[in-house]
Amino acid sequence: MAGSSLRLGDTFPNMSVKTTKGQFKIHDWKGTSWMLFFSHPADFTPVCTTEIGELVRLESEFRKRDVKLLGLSCDSVEDHLKWTEDIFAYCAKSGGGCKGTDLPFPIVGDEERTVAKTLGMIDASEPVTKALPLTCRAVFIVGSDNLIKLFIYYPASTGRNFAELIRVVDSLQLTNQKKLATPANWNPGEKVMIAASANDDEAKRIDPNYEKVELPSKKNYIRMANVN
């Protein structure tokens, strides 16, 4: 991805964007909420239509976690609004469970790829359209402090698993203010790991009954805790 050197922990750029919900600066619109920013290669395309429909269905789950959704596609706001009708029609035919005629989150119009270039979301592996390149399927999760907590790039051919991204949000929010980490395949409600940076006194404050896992090395670096 060319055109951006954004890293984890960087401040997400506070760009002024034109969207299906009006024009605004991203930080002003986001406020102190978390944000899932996601991009699409183009409107009126099959995988993108399924993804937007899935986000409509899951929007309430993100809202419960105080996560605002902000999409982007390299077409005009006018095209986004026309595309919306297809999205809801597809949802109805596929039993997706999304109802209504208005998307519950804004989509940025980025015909000149200004935002895409700023965020480094141009997909060099995809053919150009109208002499302009397409974006990949990018995801940025941004914390209440406007810092980038996660970013993932998917190729245009691979649709995203948004239920997995909800799980990631749960992990990020849990570990954001505490010295914790979540192990492989963790789900909310399961045991977590005490971070290596926490000493034993801090570990006891997290969970007085935390468990040290005995290992051949005799190094007590795996400490499991219940935080429910």
Side-chain angles (χ1 to χ4, degrees):
M1 298 297 152
S4 174
S5 57
L6 290 173
R7 299 171 298 179
L8 293 179
D10 283 350
T11 298
F12 191 85
N14 188 24
M15 295 167 283
S16 180
V17 291
K18 184 180 179 183
T19 82
T20 52
K21 304 286 188 185
Q23 185 154 346
F24 51 74
K25 295 194 77 171
I26 291 175
H27 290 190
D28 294 340
W29 168 82
K30 176 186 163 296
T32 57
S33 297
W34 286 58
M35 176 178 72
L36 181 82
F37 182 94
F38 54 97
S39 65
H40 295 276
D43 295 354
F44 302 104
T45 53
V47 177
C48 299
T49 299
T50 65
E51 289 191 321
I52 294 286
E54 182 66 2
L55 280 170
V56 171
R57 189 179 70 82
L58 292 173
E59 188 271 340
S60 62
E61 290 297 320
F62 284 101
R63 187 165 12 100
K64 287 177 189 175
R65 295 160 172 81
D66 194 25
V67 179
K68 291 185 175 181
L69 304 177
L70 180 59
L72 175 144
S73 182
C74 288
D75 288 297
S76 68
V77 167
E78 291 73 21
D79 279 344
H80 297 346
L81 294 170
K82 293 174 184 175
W83 181 32
T84 299
E85 186 176 358
D86 284 3
I87 292 166
F88 281 102
Y90 172 79
C91 281
K93 291 178 183 296
S94 63
C98 49
K99 298 177 181 179
T101 57
D102 184 36
L103 295 178
F105 47 80
I107 302 179
V108 175
D110 195 29
E111 295 170 276
E112 300 301 320
R113 287 32 170 191
T114 304
V115 178
K117 290 175 182 176
T118 298
L119 296 176
M121 302 189 303
I122 299 300
D123 190 345
S125 69
E126 285 293 312
V128 297
T129 302
K130 298 177 183 177
L132 290 171
L134 294 173
T135 59
C136 62
R137 299 187 192 283
V139 173
F140 289 83
I141 296 178
V142 181
S144 57
D145 53 8
N146 293 324
L147 301 183
I148 298 170
K149 308 299 183 184
L150 171 143
F151 57 80
I152 310 174
Y153 297 127
Y154 296 73
S157 58
T158 301
R160 287 161 283 199
N161 185 329
F162 290 103
E164 163 62 6
L165 290 173
I166 290 174
R167 189 192 74 90
V168 169
V169 166
D170 287 336
S171 172
L172 289 170
Q173 291 185 338
L174 177 65
T175 61
N176 188 49
Q177 300 294 335
K178 297 180 180 179
K179 292 184 176 181
L180 296 172
T182 54
N185 301 323
W186 172 86
N187 283 295
E190 297 176 351
K191 286 185 176 181
V192 297
M193 309 181 91
I194 297 172
S197 59
N199 60 38
D200 284 346
D201 287 339
E202 290 173 312
K204 288 177 183 176
R205 286 196 292 272
I206 291 169
D207 178 6
N209 299 312
Y210 78 90
E211 173 192 359
K212 291 183 180 180
V213 178
E214 293 190 8
L215 300 168
S217 69
K218 305 300 182 184
K219 296 182 179 181
N220 296 316
Y221 59 90
I222 296 182
R223 297 173 294 176
M224 305 303 295
N226 281 306
V227 294
N228 302 315

